[in-house]
Amino acid sequence: MKSRVRLNIAIALFAIIAIVSPISIYAQYAPQKLNISGALFQPGGLPVVQASVDFRIEVLDKNATCVLYTEEHLAQNLATSKGGFALEVGSGTSPQNLLQGTAVLSWRVFENTGLNTGAFPGGSCPAGVTMAAGDSRMIRVSYNLGGGMTAMTPDVPITAAAYALVADTLQGKGAADFVQIKDDVGTDLNQSNVETVFSATNYAKLLQLLNNTFTGSYSFNGQRITSVGTPTAGTDAANRAWVDAHVGDKDADLTGVASGVGNGRTLIWDAGTNKWITGTPAAIDSSKLPL
């Protein structure tokens, strides 16, 4: 009876998993569950109509070497369903998330990070497993008709349904809710550049600039700082035009002094206009400046 049961359940599971998967796409907060349906048949083709059948569901990596999650569905009544059963993975008894060391089926079981998971907390895969982009998961169904659990073969792959390949939302958020990569002639927003800006060293400097806590010196590599405003405080930077028109923070009127013009003139403080002007001091001794 084993071979006939395995063959039928494998075909049924493969068909149902591919059809049922899209249900979660339209939920804003999809339940962490998976529907599996199938039927048990005897070698002669008659359905198994036993009133109490135990099932064990296991989720494995693509090579079926590491059990990521397992749970049981006990005492399923197949007497009135003509051998058919429908199990909701995530709602069974004795759940074990061996990947994370919890008792909850999580989307992390289906996440492809490309990193080795390391030793499983549950001891299912001591060496860990690498789940790279595009890797599928396998479902293994075992049944017990009274003589102990028997694993059905082959294991069934969980594949993406057509609509799931282009999901409209991620937990209710659409494409416009996320910053998207744009790397073209006018924009260099890509993963590499973002990681450069937000590296531990560069991000720390950026925060210092934003919080006005930057200390030390900064080199402009010989470049000019342009369009500096008129200073108003003693600690403000000054532009060249302001510096050229002031002496000691007082206005300086340099009229009459230029290249080849104003020979012999000097700066004189004009208290009446409260500024420095150019002129020739009153002559007392043409060889000396007056006191």
Side-chain angles (χ1 to χ4, degrees), residues 92-183:
T93 60
S94 304
Q96 295 183 69
N97 185 333
L98 301 174
L99 179 66
Q100 297 177 275
T102 69
V104 179
L105 177 62
S106 167
W107 58 270
R108 294 281 186 186
V109 172
F110 303 97
E111 183 182 26
N112 290 327
T113 62
L115 301 176
N116 188 284
T117 59
F120 285 17
S124 166
C125 199
V129 61
T130 298
M131 292 179 286
D135 281 358
S136 61
R137 302 293 184 273
M138 306 296 289
I139 287 283
R140 178 176 296 165
V141 179
S142 300
Y143 65 94
N144 182 4
L145 300 179
M149 285 289 182
T150 300
M152 301 175 185
T153 57
D155 297 325
V156 181
I158 301 177
T159 57
Y163 287 110
L165 296 176
V166 188
D168 291 331
T169 65
L170 177 61
Q171 292 192 348
K173 298 184 182 297
D177 296 318
F178 299 93
V179 175
Q180 301 179 43
I181 296 297
K182 185 179 181 182
D183 194 357

